[in-house]
């Protein structure tokens, strides 16, 4: 039995580190080939490194390393050892892949509407550090960059690592302020994004950077949680038995019936708690009026459902 558990644990670790390597490589591709040539900075230490790289030519990876290492040390000192070995491995892998890619590929764009030329025209943008010019396709490049970033960071999250970097600043500020961590992350990344406007004076750059962040967030959710969409329904009804029968016999699902009392009159009521995919939720919602026209229903998005009938609980 112990041997079987050890094999399963080994397989999980191999899968986790495979996801970590692939995610780190994709992150480097997105940054060097798509984000940096268009002078964008969608948050994080690598976003700020892109700005520094353009203003004062030095490798993106070296700028990021000079920020990531002190942040990990300071974060461990102030917050304790929260980051784990995989976050450190992820930081090292992204540095290595970025260093190799920018040394081999340079900072040339993959997506553009015209060949790289040596003379600038009215609608052309200078390629940093390469002495060339190209006709940009901002929208397509932004979409592709957001997709690559989202898949990359989603895989890193799936591996059990965290993004580290500028998120550590947000975590430190969160410890000493009453501001939520999510708000602080947006503030820190927003300042990094706005740095492109200050550095290059082009209002399009922070706008497109924000679009990358938005697409990236949606893709991360898909990679981490999957395509399946679940809804949690709270149904308060005086007629719970037909609701129960429909859920069990027609939908082949389970649920929980909770007894409570109303705040206004104090009458005892039954509440059915059930989590369904979108299709089954629509089926149940469509029959509720026939079962109990006076039922009260609250339907909520459920981003992650773990347990019997859904995804297995994660093992350490």
């Amino acid at each position: 039995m112990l041997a079987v558990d050890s094999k399963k644990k080994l397989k999980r670790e191999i899968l986790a580190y495979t996801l970590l390597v692939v995610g780190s490589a994709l992150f480097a591709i997105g940054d060097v080939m798509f984000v940096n040539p268009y002078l964008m900075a969608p948050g994080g230490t690598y976003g700020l490194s892109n700005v520094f790289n353009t203003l004062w030519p030095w490798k993106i990876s070296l700028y990021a390393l000079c920020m990531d290492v002190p942040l990990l040390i300071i974060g461990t000192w102030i917050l304790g050892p929260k980051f784990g070995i995989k976050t450190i491995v992820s930081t090292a892998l992204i540095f290595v892949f970025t260093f190799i890619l920018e040394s081999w590929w340079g900072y040339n764009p993959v997506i553009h509407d015209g060949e790289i030329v040596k003379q600038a025209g009215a609608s052309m943008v200078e390629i940093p550090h390469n002495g060339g010019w190209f006709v940009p396709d901002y929208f397509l490049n932004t979409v592709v960059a957001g997709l690559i970033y989202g898949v990359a960071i989603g895989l890193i999250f799936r591996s059990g690592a965290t993004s580290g970097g500028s998120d550590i600043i947000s975590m430190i500020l969160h410890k000493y302020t009453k501001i939520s961590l999510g708000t602080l992350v947006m503030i820190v990344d927003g300042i990094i994004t706005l740095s492109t406007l200050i550095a290059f004076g082009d209002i399009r750059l922070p706008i497109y950077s924000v679009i990358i962040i938005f697409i990236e967030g949606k893709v991360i959710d898909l990679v981490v949680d999957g395509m399946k969409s679940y809804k949690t329904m709270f149904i308060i009804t005086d007629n719970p038995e037909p609701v129960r029968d429909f859920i069990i016999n027609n939908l082949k699902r389970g649920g929980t019936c909770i007894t409570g009392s109303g705040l206004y009159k104090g009458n005892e009521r039954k509440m059915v708690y059930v989590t369904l995919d979108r299709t089954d939720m629509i089926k149940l919602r469509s029959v509720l009026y026939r079962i109990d026209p006076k039922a009260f229903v609250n339907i909520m998005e459920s981003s992650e459902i773990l347990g019997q009938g859904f995804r297995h609980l994660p093992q350490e």
Side-chain angles (χ1 to χ4, degrees):
M1 186 66 179
L2 291 175
V4 174
D5 290 340
S6 297
K7 287 182 179 179
K8 288 183 178 179
K9 186 174 181 180
L10 179 61
K11 287 181 180 179
R12 288 197 301 269
E13 286 299 305
I14 291 173
L15 176 61
Y17 279 98
T18 300
L19 294 176
L20 193 58
V21 171
V22 174
S24 300
L26 283 175
F27 184 93
I29 290 170
D31 190 67
V32 175
M33 293 183 170
F34 296 91
V35 172
N36 179 270
Y38 277 74
L39 310 182
M40 290 185 283
T45 54
Y46 277 82
L48 195 56
S49 298
N50 288 332
V51 177
F52 291 156
N53 166 264
T54 305
L55 294 176
W56 305 290
W58 200 34
K59 289 188 182 297
I60 301 168
S61 54
L62 297 177
Y63 274 121
L65 188 67
C66 289
M67 290 183 277
D68 284 339
V69 172
L71 283 174
L72 282 171
I73 294 172
I74 293 170
T76 302
W77 176 49
I78 295 177
L79 303 172
K82 290 185 176 182
F83 308 112
I85 187 65
K86 287 179 183 174
T87 296
I88 297 172
V89 171
S90 174
T91 301
L93 284 173
I94 292 174
F95 164 76
V96 170
F97 283 127
T98 304
F99 184 88
I100 293 172
L101 198 58
E102 60 188 339
S103 300
W104 167 69
W105 177 265
Y107 305 104
N108 297 313
V110 174
I111 295 174
H112 55 84
D113 281 340
E115 294 296 326
I116 298 173
V117 296
K118 289 297 181 182
Q119 294 181 350
S123 62
M124 296 185 181
V125 173
E126 187 175 2
I127 300 174
H129 321 315
N130 287 274
W133 303 76
F134 70 96
V135 182
D137 186 342
Y138 278 106
F139 183 76
L140 180 58
N141 185 80
T142 298
V143 171
V144 174
L147 292 173
I148 293 175
Y149 262 20
V151 173
I153 298 175
L155 291 176
I156 291 172
F157 285 171
R158 283 286 297 268
S159 74
T162 59
S163 56
S166 63
D167 289 351
I168 299 174
I169 300 174
S170 304
M171 293 167 69
I172 294 172
L173 292 174
H174 175 66
K175 181 176 181 179
Y176 296 106
T177 67
K178 295 182 179 180
I179 304 173
S180 71
L181 185 59
T183 300
L184 288 169
V185 169
M186 287 192 292
I187 292 172
V188 172
D189 282 346
I191 292 172
I192 293 172
T193 299
L194 285 173
S195 67
T196 58
L197 175 61
I198 298 171
F200 309 121
D202 190 339
I203 189 63
R204 293 175 298 180
L205 300 180
I207 294 174
Y208 279 114
S209 295
V210 169
I211 294 173
I212 289 178
I213 294 172
F214 177 79
I215 297 172
E216 171 191 324
K218 295 298 181 182
V219 176
I220 288 172
D221 289 340
L222 289 176
V223 174
V224 174
D225 299 324
M227 295 289 290
K228 199 80 170 177
S229 175
Y230 291 104
K231 304 284 187 178
T232 295
M233 301 180 71
F234 295 91
I235 306 165
I236 300 175
T237 176
D238 292 323
N239 198 14
E241 284 304 316
V243 178
R244 173 185 176 277
D245 290 341
F246 186 85
I247 293 171
I248 293 175
N249 298 320
N250 293 74
L251 303 181
K252 308 299 182 184
R253 304 298 303 186
T256 303
C257 189
I258 304 169
T259 301
S261 58
L263 288 178
Y264 184 59
K265 294 183 178 180
N267 295 335
E268 185 177 285
R269 305 291 297 276
K270 297 289 185 179
M271 181 174 71
V272 178
Y273 164 77
V274 61
T275 298
L276 305 166
D277 61 32
R278 186 183 299 274
T279 303
D280 286 342
M281 180 275 294
I282 293 172
K283 292 177 182 178
L284 177 56
R285 189 180 62 184
S286 67
V287 303
L288 281 176
Y289 182 82
R290 175 169 52 81
I291 295 173
D292 183 2
K294 295 182 179 180
F296 179 85
V297 184
N298 184 14
I299 303 174
M300 299 187 299
E301 290 281 350
S302 298
S303 61
E304 186 173 15
I305 308 298
L306 305 175
Q308 187 175 359
F310 298 93
R311 289 172 55 193
H312 294 295
L313 289 167
Q315 301 181 32
E316 294 183 353

